[in-house]
Amino acid sequence: MGPDGAPGPSVPWQKVLWERQPFPDNYVDQRFLEELRRNEGIRQYRYWTVVKEAGFVGQQLSCVAIFISLWLYMEQGLLSPETLLWSSLVCALLGYGLYQSLSSQVESGCEPRTRLADLQSAAIFLSFTFGFSPVLKTLTESVSTDTVYAMSAIMLLAHLVSFPYTHPSPPGSLSLNAALFASVCLASRLPGALHTFAMLSCALMVFALWPCLLQRVRDIAPTHFTGVCLGVCVGGVGGLGLQSPGGAVLLALALGSVTLLCPLLLVRLQRHKDNIQGPWDEAEIHEDLDHGRGT
Amino acid sequence: MVLKIFFPQCCNRADSGLLVGRWISGHDSAVVLAVIHYPFIPGQVKQYIQQMQAQSGVELSVLGSWSLPKEGQEGMESFLRDLSTIFPQERWLQIKRQMGKTGFTCEILNRDQNDQHDDSDNKKKQEKKKEEEEGEEEEKVIFVHYEQRKVMLSQLHPIENGVPDPKTEPPSELRQVFQTVARSQPLFFLDRYDDGPLKSTHWQSEGREASIIMELLKQASVPLCLLISWLLSVWTWICNVRIFSLYPLRFLSSKLSTCVQLSYRTEHLRTLSSAKPATGHTEFMRKSNILVSFLIDVALGLLLISWLYRDDHIRMLANTLVPAADHVAKELEELLQWLMGAPAGLKMNRALDQVLGRFFLYHIHLWISYIHLMSPFIEGILWYGGLSACLGLTFALSLLSDMVALLTFHIYCFYVYGARLYCLKIYGLSSLWRLFRGKKWNVLRQRVDSCSYDLDQLFIGTLLFTILLFLLPTTALYYLVFTLLRLGVVLFQGILHLSVDFINSFPLFAMGLRICRSYRLGEGVKFRVLCEEPGTALHLLMEINPLKCSTVVQTYRTPTYSCYPKDSWAALIKKLFVGELIYPWRHKSTKTD
């Protein structure tokens, strides 16, 4: 039964079922599937744009690598906690200054945080960490090393997987918590309480504060953003390479595949996309996102 | 239509006379209570029956006539038939028996119909033919023989007390029979051997029972009751003195099982010593149960005393008590030292371990010093405490339970500390776990919602979560150990309380009655065929089915402040898991009315 079938009666066929028609119920005429739409709303990716976006993912991977290499240095005694503390402080101040200068260029619609509030937060962090560092140091004393390494690895993986790559500021709960949990596990393996404190401050900077700065850079100066990502990746590979060349090679391979190979695959496979839409789809309710979000 | 006549066995051989009893309304049956012999004056009979009716409240009437002709007494039949005109009734029964034969014959005279329905052999076929022509039914008679004294004393279960509600169904036929016989006590005072205007035969004619002891006891109980109630009022007045209503004392006295048992016994004695006699079967049984339990309790207590104060047992007990407490403390110390090491290869956090272990060790040290301080007084305490057993074995057991509670107070303290710490940890962990995932508990909607936290909240929350998580095994182990100890103590106390409760509530009197005089507690009746000959009426013997022992216990259990488990097993396990404090036994108060 179709347009090639025997010529039907002279009454035109109507696409309704409530009227008795001389056609059978499953009859279709030549206007069949004319409302079919293929690949509607498909985006054409351009390779280098995708590479730039994927750079962010690679950057985060390198961040984790940098953190791990710092920890390795501390554990082997190559890096003293005081050095790390002072350098973290300096970096934090520099980053804060950069953040403020960048935000002064943009009219921020939301409530700006006063300097006092920032100072208060910083004081809370530091005092809390310093106060709890003896407790944190002895936390995993009786747990075997393998268990600690396994837990940290799983938690860092969870951090990478659940990281909010689109809007990293404010940082998502699960990713930040997982990263902090891993850093506490690792930091408790270090020889002294000051080491623990230094490690935790470093972790806070790397996992909590750095993404905020990066997002601000990305919003305001996209060209510089790419440069920063590249710099971080190189730093990660280099830092790891000094400790274990094998690790560096692995990291380089991972970075390469994430930033170069996967976009290629995405662009290539885009061609094979075959979506069909039509009036038979479920109705979608489009909410206006700006009105729906609470303050 | 079948007419049932309940005939007392004691009247089987009574001389001829009038049948006195009651027609059961609503059913086709009659209960014969006594036989009034010749000679009698009809006016006196009627007066007597009215007097009895007023005294007993039973609708007595003359049912008919009974003839057991002896030698030389012929021609009574016509005389007996004429009696029906003197006592006008709806129906008049004429029951005849021949000496040497087992069966009775019964004729029923209906006043309005003036027909004769006869069951005897000769006229039966004629009657049947006549009735078949007329289409009426023949009236059959069944004689149900019952032992009057047993039915009088028996009580049918389940007991229906009070005024019967007119809306509900009237009591069943059997119940009405039993009630009739039980309430007709005034009828049974006069006997054929008494000198009075009327001579009647009922169960008393078989020989009166001599119960002089019971009479004496009844006479002596009145001043005794007065004395006891006076003593109780003095005691209650002392207890209600204002100083005892202060909060700490009242709280203590509600927790100590000795005080509870004391108040409970006071209640009982008050019930016993009330001046008016028991109304109704239930109250009588309850009073007797209480009395018998109390006496047995005191007897057992005196037995215990006689064992305890002989051969210096008290000194032996006191000498073993302090070393026993020392031994318990030493065991606890060793347990804590083991926990402070690496118990069972578990990974404990050393610092926390040391802190908790030292804290508990200090407690034990305090406790041991306290016990040593008390040791000179132990013997005296035991001596005076043992005297309390003369009030009953239950007191001794309650005292023992209280002493165990006091001696293991440190275990209770440890349990509370461990449980509170663990509970805090569990709540903290669950809340921080929600923070870890970025969610929060919505108290208004009682559900988990997503929430965006600030940076510092996240940071501190994660740190605390890590700390609590790694310290969990240590706290959990301490909690587990002390909970097990506490449960052991609770179990032992529970056994003591259960035995006290058993002594308090077991209905000994009812059980004794069920075993010795089983007809007094009846569940129903069973019928045995005595004589079934065609032509005569059916004779059945009604025997009382005694109540089952389990039903006896269930019905007559004295309500006590029994302790029973408050939570089901699932709820208990859940509480243990979460760390809530458990009080597994709950005391039910006696004031239920």
Side-chain angles (χ1 to χ4, degrees):
Chain A
M1 235 358 133
D4 317 313
S10 50
V11 180
W13 174 77
Q14 284 173 297
K15 197 177 169 188
V16 293
L17 276 178
W18 59 76
E19 243 184 66
R20 220 170 244 292
Q21 302 184 70
F23 305 95
D25 279 340
N26 59 351
Y27 176 78
V28 288
D29 62 357
Q30 68 268 22
R31 288 188 292 138
F32 184 54
L33 289 184
E34 78 181 358
E35 289 167 41
L36 177 76
R37 302 188 299 275
R38 280 179 185 278
N39 286 338
E40 184 185 66
I42 203 173
R43 285 186 293 189
Q44 290 300 327
Y45 291 119
R46 290 185 44 225
Y47 182 64
W48 288 111
T49 326
V50 178
V51 167
K52 264 194 230 172
E53 296 296 325
F56 190 38
V57 178
Q59 179 275 139
Q60 193 61 27
L61 193 58
S62 319
C63 265
V64 170
I66 288 177
F67 177 72
I68 291 181
S69 55
L70 279 176
W71 178 78
L72 278 172
Y73 283 134
M74 286 265 289
E75 209 215 349
Q76 290 171 5
L78 297 172
L79 184 64
S80 77
E82 295 89 0
T83 324
L84 186 61
L85 269 177
W86 284 119
S87 42
S88 318
L89 193 64
V90 166
C91 289
L93 284 172
L94 280 176
Y96 188 63
L98 190 61
Y99 188 82
Q100 294 291 36
S101 69
L102 280 176
S103 63
S104 68
Q105 291 181 17
V106 177
E107 291 295 322
S108 48
C110 319
E111 276 182 23
R113 282 174 67 94
T114 60
R115 304 277 164 87
L116 194 60
D118 289 340
L119 195 64
Q120 195 180 2
S121 296
I124 288 179
F125 292 154
L126 290 175
S127 54
F128 212 78
T129 320
F130 191 63
F132 269 106
S133 53
V135 177
L136 291 172
K137 185 190 164 328
T138 59
L139 217 48
T140 56
E141 237 178 356
S142 52
V143 184
S144 76
T145 320
D146 298 334
T147 319
V148 171
Y149 288 168
M151 271 198 309
S152 313
I154 290 174
M155 281 299 165
L156 285 173
L157 206 61
H159 160 76
L160 283 174
V161 164
S162 62
F163 192 79
Y165 291 105
T166 44
H167 292 279
S169 154
S173 292
L174 185 58
S175 67
L176 179 62
N177 286 338
L180 282 178
F181 190 91
S183 55
V184 167
C185 286
L186 287 178
S188 62
R189 283 280 158 199
L190 294 175
L194 198 60
H195 295 79
T196 317
F197 174 52
M199 203 74 238
L200 278 178
S201 324
C202 176
L204 186 67
M205 246 193 45
V206 168
F207 292 119
L209 301 179
W210 173 245
C212 296
L213 180 62
L214 206 59
Q215 179 67 16
R216 187 52 62 93
V217 168
R218 183 193 199 178
D219 283 339
I220 295 175
T223 42
H224 295 283
F225 172 69
T226 323
V228 167
C229 287
L230 205 59
V232 170
C233 294
V234 167
V237 173
L240 211 55
L242 288 175
Q243 272 297 306
S244 63
V249 168
L250 271 176
L251 182 65
L253 277 176
L255 284 176
S257 65
V258 162
T259 45
L260 297 174
L261 191 59
C262 293
L264 189 67
L265 280 175
L266 182 67
V267 171
R268 280 275 174 84
L269 290 173
Q270 224 22 20
R271 240 181 295 153
H272 297 283
K273 223 169 161 126
D274 188 13
N275 287 345
I276 53 174
Q277 276 116 20
W280 50 80
D281 285 335
E282 265 182 38
E284 279 178 19
I285 302 169
H286 290 282
E287 267 183 33
D288 202 339
L289 282 178
D290 286 328
H291 285 196
R293 196 179 283 167
T295 47
Chain B
M1 295 287 282
V2 177
L3 178 69
K4 290 188 276 275
I5 301 181
F6 291 86
F7 203 81
Q9 278 198 317
C10 45
C11 296
N12 277 353
R13 292 178 188 280
D15 290 337
S16 317
L18 281 177
L19 294 169
V20 174
R22 175 182 174 222
W23 286 99
I24 310 274
S25 58
H27 307 272
D28 231 356
S29 26
V31 181
V32 174
L33 290 168
V35 177
I36 299 185
H37 302 293
Y38 313 117
F40 56 81
I41 305 173
Q44 272 191 340
V45 170
K46 288 189 194 173
Q47 199 184 24
Y48 178 64
I49 288 181
Q50 272 182 355
Q51 198 183 353
M52 288 298 118
Q53 198 164 340
Q55 271 185 20
S56 64
V58 181
E59 302 150 0
L60 294 170
S61 57
V62 177
L63 295 175
S65 67
W66 160 254
S67 80
L68 178 65
K70 302 217 168 65
E71 294 88 25
Q73 279 182 345
E74 289 96 9
M76 295 287 257
E77 269 201 46
S78 54
F79 171 60
L80 293 172
R81 205 173 302 133
D82 293 335
L83 281 174
S84 68
T85 51
I86 306 178
F87 297 99
Q89 303 291 330
E90 281 252 348
R91 292 203 234 178
W92 181 260
L93 301 170
Q94 274 183 266
I95 305 181
K96 283 186 281 227
R97 186 185 178 192
Q98 306 281 339
M99 287 295 286
K101 269 199 199 171
T102 44
F104 296 174
T105 50
C106 177
E107 291 175 11
I108 307 172
L109 293 172
N110 280 321
R111 187 172 55 164
D112 18 318
Q113 282 186 345
N114 225 7
D115 280 334
Q116 272 196 26
H117 297 265
D118 201 331
D119 254 1
S120 56
D121 262 302
N122 303 329
K123 290 196 181 165
K124 192 178 168 188
K125 290 178 190 141
Q126 276 182 355
E127 277 299 319
K128 230 181 172 166
K129 235 198 259 175
K130 193 161 96 179
E131 276 169 5
E132 273 171 8
E133 286 166 8
E134 290 175 8
E136 277 181 13
E137 286 175 27
E138 189 185 290
E139 190 144 3
K140 286 179 65 82
V141 175
I142 296 182
F143 283 96
V144 181
H145 293 264
Y146 68 94
E147 265 212 50
Q148 200 167 42
R149 187 173 147 268
K150 287 193 179 172
V151 171
M152 185 180 79
L153 291 173
S154 167
Q155 168 72 34
L156 271 185
H157 291 77
I159 303 172
E160 284 172 20
N161 279 331
V163 182
D165 196 358
K167 285 188 218 150
T168 57
E169 291 176 13
S172 67
E173 182 182 355
L174 215 55
R175 232 174 243 286
Q176 292 201 29
V177 167
F178 274 72
Q179 271 174 14
T180 311
V181 179
R183 284 195 280 175
S184 313
Q185 296 254 7
L187 192 61
F188 303 133
F189 284 155
L190 274 186
D191 200 334
R192 61 195 278 195
Y193 302 114
D194 288 333
D195 290 327
L198 296 171
K199 304 198 186 301
S200 53
T201 301
H202 39 72
W203 66 270
Q204 295 263 32
S205 320
E206 288 181 349
R208 215 169 261 166
E209 296 194 345
S211 52
I212 297 181
I213 302 176
M214 292 299 292
E215 296 298 318
L216 278 177
L217 276 178
K218 278 189 194 159
Q219 295 297 320
S221 65
V222 171
L224 198 68
C225 280
L226 283 174
L227 179 68
I228 293 179
S229 40
W230 180 78
L231 280 174
L232 278 179
S233 58
V234 168
W235 171 249
T236 328
W237 179 80
I238 292 177
C239 284
N240 285 343
V241 168
R242 282 294 290 260
I243 198 166
F244 288 136
S245 328
L246 288 178
Y247 168 66
L249 276 176
R250 201 162 43 175
F251 175 72
L252 262 184
S253 68
S254 71
K255 290 284 173 212
L256 286 178
S257 47
T258 321
C259 298
V260 178
Q261 178 72 7
L262 204 63
S263 68
Y264 181 65
R265 276 285 181 231
T266 320
E267 267 305 307
H268 275 181
L269 284 179
R270 194 175 297 139
T271 325
L272 272 183
S273 66
S274 68
K276 51 183 176 61
T279 55
H281 174 86
T282 327
E283 248 196 71
F284 167 70
M285 292 298 281
R286 182 174 297 188
K287 274 192 165 182
S288 348
N289 279 332
I290 291 175
L291 184 67
V292 171
S293 302
F294 182 64
L295 289 176
I296 296 282
D297 199 12
V298 170
L300 285 174
L302 289 174
L303 207 69
L304 182 70
I305 285 183
S306 73
W307 174 82
L308 208 59
Y309 286 90
R310 205 178 31 165
D311 296 340
D312 250 353
H313 278 153
I314 296 251
R315 177 116 54 84
M316 267 170 34
L317 265 180
N319 285 343
T320 51
L321 202 66
V322 173
D326 259 342
H327 178 72
V328 165
K330 205 148 292 266
E331 290 288 322
L332 266 181
E333 268 184 33
E334 272 183 29
L335 180 72
L336 281 172
Q337 294 289 356
W338 178 70
L339 281 179
M340 272 158 69
L346 288 174
K347 305 187 188 304
M348 314 276 279
N349 187 299
R350 193 151 311 135
L352 186 64
D353 221 348
Q354 300 280 324
V355 164
L356 286 178
R358 293 240 174 90
F359 177 64
F360 288 132
L361 276 175
Y362 180 61
H363 256 254
I364 292 181
H365 170 75
L366 275 181
W367 187 254
I368 287 297
S369 351
Y370 169 69
I371 293 270
H372 281 281
L373 206 70
M374 287 262 295
S375 59
F377 306 110
I378 296 264
E379 197 178 330
I381 293 175
L382 273 182
W383 205 89
Y384 287 112
L387 278 184
S388 75
C390 70
L391 287 173
L393 184 66
T394 46
F395 276 101
L397 285 177
S398 321
L399 206 64
L400 179 68
S401 155
D402 284 337
M403 277 183 52
V404 163
L406 281 178
L407 283 179
T408 57
F409 190 63
H410 52 332
I411 293 184
Y412 177 65
C413 279
F414 288 172
Y415 165 69
V416 171
Y417 298 152
R420 287 268 183 248
L421 205 62
Y422 179 73
C423 179
L424 211 67
K425 181 162 281 210
I426 291 285
Y427 274 118
L429 264 180
S430 60
S431 170
L432 287 172
W433 171 244
R434 283 193 284 266
L435 181 137
F436 198 90
R437 285 164 24 223
K439 296 199 191 298
K440 135 175 115 79
W441 177 251
N442 189 337
V443 185
L444 188 62
R445 296 291 188 123
Q446 297 285 312
R447 66 176 184 205
V448 176
D449 279 342
S450 62
C451 167
S452 60
Y453 290 98
D454 285 339
L455 196 60
D456 32 5
Q457 285 172 333
L458 279 179
F459 184 68
I460 295 178
T462 308
L463 273 187
L464 281 178
F465 176 72
T466 323
I467 292 174
L468 284 182
L469 187 67
F470 279 106
L471 294 181
L472 186 65
T474 318
T475 344
L477 194 69
Y478 273 91
Y479 172 67
L480 184 73
V481 166
F482 290 129
T483 307
L484 284 176
L485 283 175
R486 168 82 184 139
L487 282 180
V489 171
V490 160
L491 204 70
F492 180 64
Q493 273 193 307
I495 291 176
L496 283 177
H497 282 166
L498 276 177
S499 45
V500 165
D501 186 46
F502 179 73
I503 297 179
N504 273 339
S505 71
F506 190 69
L508 267 178
F509 181 72
M511 270 319 253
L513 211 58
R514 161 74 180 83
I515 293 171
C516 304
R517 304 247 187 282
S518 57
Y519 57 81
R520 288 193 66 162
L521 303 168
E523 202 175 20
V525 294
K526 55 180 185 267
F527 296 99
R528 195 153 54 94
V529 177
L530 279 181
C531 148
E532 188 181 6
E533 289 164 27
T536 57
L538 181 65
H539 289 266
L540 299 170
L541 177 66
M542 182 169 83
E543 287 168 0
I544 300 176
N545 259 349
L547 203 56
K548 279 200 289 264
C549 288
S550 55
T551 326
V552 169
V553 173
Q554 211 176 353
T555 323
Y556 291 109
R557 249 183 114 246
T558 326
T560 64
Y561 59 95
S562 61
C563 52
Y564 58 96
K566 187 157 70 160
D567 301 306
S568 64
W569 282 111
L572 192 68
I573 302 249
K574 181 177 174 284
K575 273 195 181 176
L576 279 176
F577 199 69
V578 171
E580 269 180 51
L581 288 176
I582 47 172
Y583 298 101
W585 304 112
R586 185 154 72 111
H587 282 220
K588 201 168 52 164
S589 79
T590 48
K591 306 216 185 321
T592 46
D593 300 334

